[in-house]
Amino acid sequence: MNLTPKSSRKHTAHDWMDYLRESHGLGGILAKTEDLAKLKTSINLALANLDLEHLSSKIETGWRSGSQNELVLLVSSASIASRLQQILPSLINELWKYGLQCSAVKVRVKPAPPAWEVKPRLDQREKPTGLNDVAKKSWESLLEKLGPDSGLRSSIEKLLKNKPK
């Protein structure tokens, strides 16, 4: 029987930042997060130089997947998107000044969350307990039209007997 030896208690705990920076750890996520933070800072500075710093909190940024030269700006409304479209050449020039090289900028309007919420039904509907008057009369009239040896007649008789009002 081969048992793996217990790990030595002499190992010390590593700093959490060391673990995040390791390549087999969460280093990739940390690097992307740091890149996005730098990108957001550069965009905020560029917007401030264009006297549009009030828009910086309304913009989410990111690179188009697979391309580091195409910047994507997600905004919450069409009016912000059209304003950004108007200043795109100036914005690209400002971003170049801060060392952010992008060949194209796409402005996209992200869908707004729904204003309504689906809630579970609190009151449960009552299950029907029997046949109502109209249904009972309808079954009885059909029963009168059927012959005494009909298989359907015996089924309807059972239905009427087992489903009282």
Short mmCIF file of all heavy atoms in Angstrom, two decimals, residues 84-147:
data_model
loop_
_atom_site.label_atom_id
_atom_site.label_comp_id
_atom_site.label_asym_id
_atom_site.label_seq_id
_atom_site.Cartn_x
_atom_site.Cartn_y
_atom_site.Cartn_z
N LEU A 84 -19.81 60.11 -27.86
CA LEU A 84 -18.49 59.50 -28.00
C LEU A 84 -18.12 59.29 -29.47
O LEU A 84 -16.96 59.45 -29.85
CB LEU A 84 -18.42 58.17 -27.24
CG LEU A 84 -18.36 58.28 -25.72
CD1 LEU A 84 -18.45 56.90 -25.09
CD2 LEU A 84 -17.11 58.99 -25.27
N GLN A 85 -19.09 58.93 -30.29
CA GLN A 85 -18.84 58.76 -31.72
C GLN A 85 -18.35 60.07 -32.34
O GLN A 85 -17.49 60.07 -33.21
CB GLN A 85 -20.10 58.29 -32.45
CG GLN A 85 -20.49 56.87 -32.19
CD GLN A 85 -19.58 55.86 -32.88
OE1 GLN A 85 -18.74 56.19 -33.69
NE2 GLN A 85 -19.75 54.60 -32.51
N GLN A 86 -18.89 61.19 -31.87
CA GLN A 86 -18.50 62.49 -32.40
C GLN A 86 -17.06 62.85 -32.08
O GLN A 86 -16.39 63.51 -32.85
CB GLN A 86 -19.42 63.59 -31.86
CG GLN A 86 -20.84 63.49 -32.35
CD GLN A 86 -21.76 64.44 -31.61
OE1 GLN A 86 -21.35 65.14 -30.68
NE2 GLN A 86 -23.02 64.47 -32.02
N ILE A 87 -16.57 62.40 -30.93
CA ILE A 87 -15.22 62.79 -30.50
C ILE A 87 -14.19 61.66 -30.66
O ILE A 87 -13.08 61.78 -30.15
CB ILE A 87 -15.23 63.27 -29.04
CG1 ILE A 87 -15.68 62.14 -28.10
CG2 ILE A 87 -16.09 64.48 -28.86
CD1 ILE A 87 -14.99 62.16 -26.79
N LEU A 88 -14.53 60.58 -31.36
CA LEU A 88 -13.62 59.44 -31.47
C LEU A 88 -12.24 59.81 -32.01
O LEU A 88 -11.24 59.37 -31.44
CB LEU A 88 -14.23 58.33 -32.31
CG LEU A 88 -15.13 57.36 -31.57
CD1 LEU A 88 -15.62 56.26 -32.49
CD2 LEU A 88 -14.46 56.77 -30.36
N PRO A 89 -12.11 60.58 -33.07
CA PRO A 89 -10.76 60.91 -33.54
C PRO A 89 -9.92 61.63 -32.47
O PRO A 89 -8.75 61.31 -32.26
CB PRO A 89 -11.00 61.81 -34.75
CG PRO A 89 -12.36 61.46 -35.22
CD PRO A 89 -13.12 61.10 -33.99
N SER A 90 -10.54 62.57 -31.76
CA SER A 90 -9.83 63.27 -30.70
C SER A 90 -9.50 62.33 -29.55
O SER A 90 -8.42 62.41 -28.95
CB SER A 90 -10.67 64.43 -30.18
OG SER A 90 -10.98 65.32 -31.21
N LEU A 91 -10.42 61.43 -29.22
CA LEU A 91 -10.18 60.47 -28.14
C LEU A 91 -9.02 59.54 -28.49
O LEU A 91 -8.17 59.27 -27.64
CB LEU A 91 -11.46 59.67 -27.86
CG LEU A 91 -11.40 58.66 -26.72
CD1 LEU A 91 -11.13 59.36 -25.40
CD2 LEU A 91 -12.69 57.87 -26.64
N ILE A 92 -8.97 59.07 -29.73
CA ILE A 92 -7.87 58.19 -30.15
C ILE A 92 -6.54 58.93 -30.05
O ILE A 92 -5.54 58.38 -29.56
CB ILE A 92 -8.12 57.64 -31.56
CG1 ILE A 92 -9.30 56.65 -31.54
CG2 ILE A 92 -6.87 56.95 -32.11
CD1 ILE A 92 -9.75 56.17 -32.90
N ASN A 93 -6.51 60.21 -30.47
CA ASN A 93 -5.28 61.00 -30.37
C ASN A 93 -4.86 61.17 -28.91
O ASN A 93 -3.66 61.07 -28.60
CB ASN A 93 -5.47 62.36 -31.04
CG ASN A 93 -5.52 62.25 -32.54
OD1 ASN A 93 -5.01 61.30 -33.12
ND2 ASN A 93 -6.14 63.24 -33.18
N GLU A 94 -5.81 61.43 -28.03
CA GLU A 94 -5.49 61.58 -26.61
C GLU A 94 -4.97 60.27 -26.03
O GLU A 94 -4.05 60.26 -25.21
CB GLU A 94 -6.71 62.06 -25.83
CG GLU A 94 -7.09 63.50 -26.06
CD GLU A 94 -6.03 64.47 -25.54
OE1 GLU A 94 -5.42 64.21 -24.48
OE2 GLU A 94 -5.82 65.50 -26.20
N LEU A 95 -5.56 59.16 -26.43
CA LEU A 95 -5.11 57.86 -25.92
C LEU A 95 -3.69 57.55 -26.39
O LEU A 95 -2.90 56.95 -25.65
CB LEU A 95 -6.09 56.76 -26.34
CG LEU A 95 -7.46 56.81 -25.68
CD1 LEU A 95 -8.38 55.76 -26.28
CD2 LEU A 95 -7.37 56.63 -24.18
N TRP A 96 -3.34 57.97 -27.60
CA TRP A 96 -1.97 57.78 -28.11
C TRP A 96 -0.99 58.56 -27.24
O TRP A 96 0.13 58.12 -27.01
CB TRP A 96 -1.86 58.21 -29.57
CG TRP A 96 -2.23 57.11 -30.52
CD1 TRP A 96 -3.47 56.78 -30.93
CD2 TRP A 96 -1.34 56.20 -31.14
NE1 TRP A 96 -3.41 55.71 -31.79
CE2 TRP A 96 -2.11 55.33 -31.94
CE3 TRP A 96 0.04 56.02 -31.12
CZ2 TRP A 96 -1.56 54.31 -32.69
CZ3 TRP A 96 0.60 55.00 -31.87
CH2 TRP A 96 -0.21 54.15 -32.64
N LYS A 97 -1.40 59.74 -26.77
CA LYS A 97 -0.52 60.55 -25.92
C LYS A 97 -0.19 59.84 -24.61
O LYS A 97 0.86 60.04 -24.04
CB LYS A 97 -1.17 61.90 -25.61
CG LYS A 97 -1.25 62.83 -26.78
CD LYS A 97 -1.94 64.12 -26.38
CE LYS A 97 -2.18 65.01 -27.58
NZ LYS A 97 -2.95 66.23 -27.22
N TYR A 98 -1.13 59.01 -24.13
CA TYR A 98 -0.92 58.27 -22.89
C TYR A 98 -0.35 56.87 -23.14
O TYR A 98 -0.34 56.04 -22.25
CB TYR A 98 -2.23 58.17 -22.10
CG TYR A 98 -2.67 59.50 -21.57
CD1 TYR A 98 -3.74 60.16 -22.13
CD2 TYR A 98 -1.98 60.11 -20.53
CE1 TYR A 98 -4.13 61.40 -21.65
CE2 TYR A 98 -2.36 61.34 -20.05
CZ TYR A 98 -3.43 61.99 -20.62
OH TYR A 98 -3.81 63.22 -20.15
N GLY A 99 0.13 56.62 -24.34
CA GLY A 99 0.78 55.36 -24.66
C GLY A 99 -0.15 54.21 -24.96
O GLY A 99 0.26 53.06 -25.01
N LEU A 100 -1.42 54.50 -25.15
CA LEU A 100 -2.39 53.45 -25.46
C LEU A 100 -2.59 53.42 -26.96
O LEU A 100 -3.19 54.32 -27.53
CB LEU A 100 -3.71 53.75 -24.74
CG LEU A 100 -4.75 52.65 -24.75
CD1 LEU A 100 -4.24 51.46 -23.96
CD2 LEU A 100 -6.04 53.14 -24.17
N GLN A 101 -2.06 52.41 -27.60
CA GLN A 101 -2.12 52.33 -29.06
C GLN A 101 -3.31 51.50 -29.47
O GLN A 101 -3.34 50.29 -29.28
CB GLN A 101 -0.83 51.72 -29.59
CG GLN A 101 0.38 52.55 -29.24
CD GLN A 101 1.67 51.88 -29.66
OE1 GLN A 101 1.66 50.76 -30.14
NE2 GLN A 101 2.78 52.56 -29.46
N CYS A 102 -4.28 52.18 -30.05
CA CYS A 102 -5.45 51.48 -30.55
C CYS A 102 -5.74 52.01 -31.95
O CYS A 102 -5.67 53.20 -32.21
CB CYS A 102 -6.65 51.65 -29.63
SG CYS A 102 -7.16 53.33 -29.37
N SER A 103 -6.01 51.08 -32.84
CA SER A 103 -6.27 51.47 -34.23
C SER A 103 -7.74 51.81 -34.44
O SER A 103 -8.08 52.55 -35.35
CB SER A 103 -5.85 50.34 -35.17
OG SER A 103 -6.57 49.17 -34.86
N ALA A 104 -8.62 51.27 -33.62
CA ALA A 104 -10.05 51.52 -33.78
C ALA A 104 -10.71 51.50 -32.41
O ALA A 104 -10.26 50.81 -31.49
CB ALA A 104 -10.68 50.46 -34.67
N VAL A 105 -11.77 52.26 -32.31
CA VAL A 105 -12.58 52.29 -31.09
C VAL A 105 -14.02 52.03 -31.49
O VAL A 105 -14.56 52.69 -32.37
CB VAL A 105 -12.47 53.64 -30.35
CG1 VAL A 105 -13.38 53.66 -29.14
CG2 VAL A 105 -11.04 53.93 -29.95
N LYS A 106 -14.62 51.04 -30.88
CA LYS A 106 -16.03 50.72 -31.13
C LYS A 106 -16.83 51.16 -29.90
O LYS A 106 -16.46 50.86 -28.78
CB LYS A 106 -16.23 49.21 -31.32
CG LYS A 106 -15.46 48.63 -32.46
CD LYS A 106 -16.35 48.46 -33.62
CE LYS A 106 -15.51 47.80 -34.72
NZ LYS A 106 -16.15 47.67 -35.93
N VAL A 107 -17.91 51.85 -30.15
CA VAL A 107 -18.80 52.27 -29.07
C VAL A 107 -20.07 51.44 -29.19
O VAL A 107 -20.70 51.39 -30.24
CB VAL A 107 -19.13 53.78 -29.18
CG1 VAL A 107 -20.07 54.18 -28.05
CG2 VAL A 107 -17.86 54.60 -29.13
N ARG A 108 -20.41 50.76 -28.12
CA ARG A 108 -21.58 49.89 -28.10
C ARG A 108 -22.49 50.28 -26.94
O ARG A 108 -22.01 50.63 -25.87
CB ARG A 108 -21.18 48.42 -27.90
CG ARG A 108 -20.27 47.88 -28.97
CD ARG A 108 -21.09 47.52 -30.18
NE ARG A 108 -20.26 46.85 -31.15
CZ ARG A 108 -20.09 47.26 -32.38
NH1 ARG A 108 -20.69 48.35 -32.79
NH2 ARG A 108 -19.34 46.60 -33.22
N VAL A 109 -23.78 50.22 -27.18
CA VAL A 109 -24.76 50.47 -26.12
C VAL A 109 -25.10 49.12 -25.51
O VAL A 109 -25.53 48.20 -26.20
CB VAL A 109 -26.03 51.15 -26.68
CG1 VAL A 109 -27.06 51.35 -25.58
CG2 VAL A 109 -25.68 52.47 -27.33
N LYS A 110 -24.87 49.00 -24.21
CA LYS A 110 -25.19 47.74 -23.54
C LYS A 110 -26.66 47.72 -23.17
O LYS A 110 -27.24 48.76 -22.87
CB LYS A 110 -24.30 47.52 -22.32
CG LYS A 110 -24.51 48.50 -21.21
CD LYS A 110 -23.61 48.18 -20.04
CE LYS A 110 -23.80 49.23 -18.96
NZ LYS A 110 -23.00 48.94 -17.81
N PRO A 111 -27.27 46.58 -23.22
CA PRO A 111 -28.70 46.50 -22.90
C PRO A 111 -28.93 46.86 -21.44
O PRO A 111 -28.17 46.49 -20.56
CB PRO A 111 -29.07 45.06 -23.18
CG PRO A 111 -27.82 44.34 -23.44
CD PRO A 111 -26.72 45.32 -23.60
N ALA A 112 -29.98 47.59 -21.22
CA ALA A 112 -30.34 48.00 -19.85
C ALA A 112 -31.00 46.82 -19.14
O ALA A 112 -31.68 46.01 -19.77
CB ALA A 112 -31.29 49.17 -19.89
N PRO A 113 -30.80 46.72 -17.84
CA PRO A 113 -31.49 45.65 -17.11
C PRO A 113 -33.00 45.92 -17.13
O PRO A 113 -33.42 47.07 -17.20
CB PRO A 113 -30.92 45.77 -15.69
CG PRO A 113 -30.37 47.14 -15.60
CD PRO A 113 -29.98 47.55 -16.98
N PRO A 114 -33.79 44.88 -17.09
CA PRO A 114 -35.24 45.08 -17.14
C PRO A 114 -35.73 45.86 -15.92
O PRO A 114 -35.20 45.72 -14.82
CB PRO A 114 -35.81 43.67 -17.16
CG PRO A 114 -34.75 42.81 -16.60
CD PRO A 114 -33.44 43.47 -16.94
N ALA A 115 -36.72 46.67 -16.15
CA ALA A 115 -37.29 47.47 -15.06
C ALA A 115 -38.24 46.64 -14.20
O ALA A 115 -38.59 47.04 -13.10
CB ALA A 115 -38.03 48.67 -15.64
N TRP A 116 -38.65 45.51 -14.68
CA TRP A 116 -39.57 44.67 -13.94
C TRP A 116 -38.82 43.45 -13.41
O TRP A 116 -37.77 43.09 -13.89
CB TRP A 116 -40.73 44.25 -14.80
CG TRP A 116 -40.32 43.77 -16.16
CD1 TRP A 116 -40.15 44.50 -17.27
CD2 TRP A 116 -39.98 42.43 -16.52
NE1 TRP A 116 -39.74 43.73 -18.31
CE2 TRP A 116 -39.63 42.44 -17.89
CE3 TRP A 116 -39.95 41.23 -15.85
CZ2 TRP A 116 -39.24 41.30 -18.56
CZ3 TRP A 116 -39.56 40.09 -16.53
CH2 TRP A 116 -39.22 40.14 -17.87
N GLU A 117 -39.41 42.82 -12.44
CA GLU A 117 -38.80 41.68 -11.79
C GLU A 117 -39.83 40.54 -11.73
O GLU A 117 -40.99 40.77 -11.42
CB GLU A 117 -38.38 42.09 -10.38
CG GLU A 117 -37.73 41.01 -9.59
CD GLU A 117 -37.34 41.50 -8.20
OE1 GLU A 117 -37.24 42.72 -8.00
OE2 GLU A 117 -37.17 40.64 -7.32
N VAL A 118 -39.37 39.36 -12.02
CA VAL A 118 -40.26 38.20 -11.94
C VAL A 118 -40.24 37.70 -10.50
O VAL A 118 -39.19 37.39 -9.96
CB VAL A 118 -39.79 37.08 -12.89
CG1 VAL A 118 -40.67 35.85 -12.73
CG2 VAL A 118 -39.79 37.56 -14.31
N LYS A 119 -41.41 37.67 -9.90
CA LYS A 119 -41.52 37.24 -8.51
C LYS A 119 -42.32 35.95 -8.46
O LYS A 119 -43.23 35.74 -9.26
CB LYS A 119 -42.23 38.30 -7.68
CG LYS A 119 -41.45 39.58 -7.56
CD LYS A 119 -42.19 40.59 -6.71
CE LYS A 119 -41.38 41.87 -6.64
NZ LYS A 119 -42.08 42.90 -5.86
N PRO A 120 -42.01 35.08 -7.51
CA PRO A 120 -42.80 33.85 -7.40
C PRO A 120 -44.21 34.16 -6.94
O PRO A 120 -44.46 35.12 -6.21
CB PRO A 120 -42.04 33.04 -6.35
CG PRO A 120 -41.25 34.03 -5.59
CD PRO A 120 -40.95 35.16 -6.53
N ARG A 121 -45.14 33.36 -7.41
CA ARG A 121 -46.54 33.55 -7.06
C ARG A 121 -46.73 33.14 -5.60
O ARG A 121 -46.37 32.04 -5.19
CB ARG A 121 -47.41 32.70 -7.95
CG ARG A 121 -48.88 32.93 -7.73
CD ARG A 121 -49.72 32.17 -8.69
NE ARG A 121 -49.47 32.70 -10.02
CZ ARG A 121 -49.80 32.07 -11.12
NH1 ARG A 121 -50.38 30.89 -11.06
NH2 ARG A 121 -49.56 32.61 -12.29
N LEU A 122 -47.29 34.04 -4.82
CA LEU A 122 -47.48 33.77 -3.40
C LEU A 122 -48.74 32.96 -3.13
O LEU A 122 -48.75 32.07 -2.31
CB LEU A 122 -47.52 35.09 -2.62
CG LEU A 122 -46.24 35.92 -2.69
CD1 LEU A 122 -46.43 37.23 -1.95
CD2 LEU A 122 -45.08 35.15 -2.12
N ASP A 123 -49.82 33.31 -3.79
CA ASP A 123 -51.06 32.60 -3.57
C ASP A 123 -51.19 31.44 -4.56
O ASP A 123 -51.07 31.62 -5.74
CB ASP A 123 -52.26 33.53 -3.69
CG ASP A 123 -52.33 34.20 -5.07
OD1 ASP A 123 -51.27 34.49 -5.63
OD2 ASP A 123 -53.46 34.41 -5.56
N GLN A 124 -51.40 30.27 -4.03
CA GLN A 124 -51.55 29.09 -4.88
C GLN A 124 -53.02 28.98 -5.28
O GLN A 124 -53.91 29.17 -4.47
CB GLN A 124 -51.12 27.83 -4.12
CG GLN A 124 -49.65 27.82 -3.77
CD GLN A 124 -48.77 27.73 -5.01
OE1 GLN A 124 -49.14 27.14 -6.01
NE2 GLN A 124 -47.61 28.36 -4.95
N ARG A 125 -53.19 28.68 -6.54
CA ARG A 125 -54.57 28.51 -7.01
C ARG A 125 -55.17 27.24 -6.43
O ARG A 125 -54.49 26.23 -6.27
CB ARG A 125 -54.59 28.44 -8.54
CG ARG A 125 -54.19 29.71 -9.18
CD ARG A 125 -54.32 29.61 -10.67
NE ARG A 125 -53.90 30.83 -11.29
CZ ARG A 125 -53.77 30.98 -12.59
NH1 ARG A 125 -54.03 29.99 -13.40
NH2 ARG A 125 -53.37 32.13 -13.08
N GLU A 126 -56.47 27.32 -6.16
CA GLU A 126 -57.16 26.14 -5.64
C GLU A 126 -57.37 25.14 -6.77
O GLU A 126 -57.73 25.51 -7.88
CB GLU A 126 -58.51 26.54 -5.06
CG GLU A 126 -58.41 27.42 -3.84
CD GLU A 126 -59.79 27.78 -3.32
OE1 GLU A 126 -60.76 27.05 -3.62
OE2 GLU A 126 -59.87 28.78 -2.61
N LYS A 127 -57.12 23.90 -6.47
CA LYS A 127 -57.34 22.86 -7.47
C LYS A 127 -58.83 22.55 -7.53
O LYS A 127 -59.51 22.51 -6.50
CB LYS A 127 -56.55 21.61 -7.11
CG LYS A 127 -55.06 21.85 -7.20
CD LYS A 127 -54.28 20.58 -6.95
CE LYS A 127 -52.81 20.88 -7.07
NZ LYS A 127 -52.00 19.71 -6.87
N PRO A 128 -59.36 22.32 -8.72
CA PRO A 128 -60.79 22.01 -8.83
C PRO A 128 -61.10 20.70 -8.11
O PRO A 128 -60.34 19.74 -8.16
CB PRO A 128 -61.03 21.89 -10.33
CG PRO A 128 -59.71 21.91 -10.98
CD PRO A 128 -58.70 22.38 -9.99
N THR A 129 -62.24 20.70 -7.43
CA THR A 129 -62.62 19.52 -6.66
C THR A 129 -63.61 18.62 -7.39
O THR A 129 -63.76 17.47 -7.04
CB THR A 129 -63.24 19.96 -5.32
OG1 THR A 129 -64.34 20.83 -5.59
CG2 THR A 129 -62.21 20.67 -4.46
N GLY A 130 -64.29 19.13 -8.36
CA GLY A 130 -65.28 18.32 -9.07
C GLY A 130 -65.72 19.03 -10.34
O GLY A 130 -65.10 19.99 -10.78
N LEU A 131 -66.81 18.50 -10.92
CA LEU A 131 -67.33 19.09 -12.14
C LEU A 131 -68.29 20.23 -11.80
O LEU A 131 -69.09 20.13 -10.88
CB LEU A 131 -68.09 18.03 -12.95
CG LEU A 131 -67.26 16.83 -13.43
CD1 LEU A 131 -68.18 15.80 -14.07
CD2 LEU A 131 -66.21 17.28 -14.40
N ASN A 132 -68.23 21.31 -12.58
CA ASN A 132 -69.22 22.37 -12.38
C ASN A 132 -70.53 21.96 -13.05
O ASN A 132 -70.62 20.93 -13.71
CB ASN A 132 -68.70 23.72 -12.90
CG ASN A 132 -68.42 23.72 -14.38
OD1 ASN A 132 -68.94 22.89 -15.12
ND2 ASN A 132 -67.58 24.64 -14.82
N ASP A 133 -71.56 22.76 -12.86
CA ASP A 133 -72.90 22.40 -13.35
C ASP A 133 -72.95 22.23 -14.86
O ASP A 133 -73.57 21.29 -15.37
CB ASP A 133 -73.92 23.47 -12.92
CG ASP A 133 -74.18 23.44 -11.43
OD1 ASP A 133 -73.99 22.37 -10.83
OD2 ASP A 133 -74.58 24.49 -10.88
N VAL A 134 -72.31 23.10 -15.58
CA VAL A 134 -72.34 23.03 -17.05
C VAL A 134 -71.67 21.76 -17.53
O VAL A 134 -72.18 21.06 -18.41
CB VAL A 134 -71.66 24.30 -17.65
CG1 VAL A 134 -71.57 24.21 -19.16
CG2 VAL A 134 -72.39 25.56 -17.22
N ALA A 135 -70.50 21.45 -16.97
CA ALA A 135 -69.78 20.24 -17.39
C ALA A 135 -70.58 18.98 -17.05
O ALA A 135 -70.65 18.04 -17.85
CB ALA A 135 -68.41 20.20 -16.72
N LYS A 136 -71.18 18.98 -15.85
CA LYS A 136 -71.95 17.81 -15.44
C LYS A 136 -73.15 17.58 -16.36
O LYS A 136 -73.42 16.45 -16.79
CB LYS A 136 -72.41 17.98 -14.00
CG LYS A 136 -73.00 16.74 -13.42
CD LYS A 136 -73.26 16.90 -11.94
CE LYS A 136 -73.80 15.60 -11.38
NZ LYS A 136 -74.04 15.68 -9.96
N LYS A 137 -73.87 18.65 -16.73
CA LYS A 137 -75.01 18.53 -17.64
C LYS A 137 -74.57 18.07 -19.02
O LYS A 137 -75.26 17.27 -19.67
CB LYS A 137 -75.75 19.86 -17.74
CG LYS A 137 -76.53 20.21 -16.50
CD LYS A 137 -77.22 21.54 -16.64
CE LYS A 137 -77.91 21.92 -15.34
NZ LYS A 137 -78.52 23.25 -15.42
N SER A 138 -73.42 18.54 -19.47
CA SER A 138 -72.92 18.15 -20.77
C SER A 138 -72.59 16.66 -20.80
O SER A 138 -72.93 15.96 -21.76
CB SER A 138 -71.67 18.99 -21.11
OG SER A 138 -71.13 18.60 -22.34
N TRP A 139 -71.92 16.16 -19.76
CA TRP A 139 -71.61 14.73 -19.70
C TRP A 139 -72.89 13.89 -19.60
O TRP A 139 -72.99 12.82 -20.20
CB TRP A 139 -70.69 14.43 -18.52
CG TRP A 139 -69.25 14.80 -18.75
CD1 TRP A 139 -68.56 15.77 -18.11
CD2 TRP A 139 -68.35 14.21 -19.67
NE1 TRP A 139 -67.29 15.84 -18.58
CE2 TRP A 139 -67.12 14.87 -19.54
CE3 TRP A 139 -68.45 13.18 -20.61
CZ2 TRP A 139 -66.01 14.55 -20.30
CZ3 TRP A 139 -67.33 12.86 -21.36
CH2 TRP A 139 -66.12 13.54 -21.22
N GLU A 140 -73.87 14.36 -18.84
CA GLU A 140 -75.12 13.62 -18.69
C GLU A 140 -75.90 13.56 -20.00
O GLU A 140 -76.49 12.53 -20.33
CB GLU A 140 -75.98 14.25 -17.59
CG GLU A 140 -75.45 13.98 -16.20
CD GLU A 140 -76.19 14.75 -15.11
OE1 GLU A 140 -76.99 15.65 -15.44
OE2 GLU A 140 -75.96 14.44 -13.92
N SER A 141 -75.87 14.66 -20.78
CA SER A 141 -76.59 14.63 -22.07
C SER A 141 -75.89 13.69 -23.04
O SER A 141 -76.55 13.02 -23.84
CB SER A 141 -76.68 16.04 -22.65
OG SER A 141 -75.41 16.51 -23.07
N LEU A 142 -74.57 13.61 -22.98
CA LEU A 142 -73.86 12.66 -23.84
C LEU A 142 -74.17 11.24 -23.40
O LEU A 142 -74.33 10.34 -24.24
CB LEU A 142 -72.34 12.93 -23.78
CG LEU A 142 -71.46 11.99 -24.59
CD1 LEU A 142 -71.78 12.08 -26.09
CD2 LEU A 142 -70.00 12.28 -24.36
N LEU A 143 -74.28 11.03 -22.10
CA LEU A 143 -74.57 9.70 -21.57
C LEU A 143 -75.95 9.21 -22.05
O LEU A 143 -76.11 8.03 -22.37
CB LEU A 143 -74.53 9.74 -20.04
CG LEU A 143 -74.69 8.42 -19.30
CD1 LEU A 143 -73.52 7.49 -19.63
CD2 LEU A 143 -74.77 8.64 -17.81
N GLU A 144 -76.91 10.11 -22.16
CA GLU A 144 -78.26 9.75 -22.62
C GLU A 144 -78.27 9.34 -24.08
O GLU A 144 -79.09 8.52 -24.50
CB GLU A 144 -79.21 10.93 -22.41
CG GLU A 144 -79.51 11.23 -20.96
CD GLU A 144 -80.32 12.51 -20.80
OE1 GLU A 144 -80.71 13.12 -21.81
OE2 GLU A 144 -80.54 12.91 -19.64
N LYS A 145 -77.34 9.88 -24.87
CA LYS A 145 -77.31 9.59 -26.31
C LYS A 145 -76.61 8.27 -26.62
O LYS A 145 -76.76 7.74 -27.70
CB LYS A 145 -76.58 10.72 -27.05
CG LYS A 145 -77.33 12.05 -26.98
CD LYS A 145 -76.53 13.15 -27.64
CE LYS A 145 -77.23 14.48 -27.46
NZ LYS A 145 -76.43 15.59 -27.93
N LEU A 146 -75.85 7.75 -25.67
CA LEU A 146 -75.10 6.52 -25.92
C LEU A 146 -75.95 5.28 -25.61
O LEU A 146 -76.82 5.31 -24.74
CB LEU A 146 -73.83 6.49 -25.06
CG LEU A 146 -72.79 7.58 -25.35
CD1 LEU A 146 -71.68 7.54 -24.32
CD2 LEU A 146 -72.21 7.39 -26.75
N GLY A 147 -75.63 4.22 -26.32
CA GLY A 147 -76.33 2.95 -26.11
C GLY A 147 -75.88 2.30 -24.81
O GLY A 147 -74.81 2.59 -24.28
#
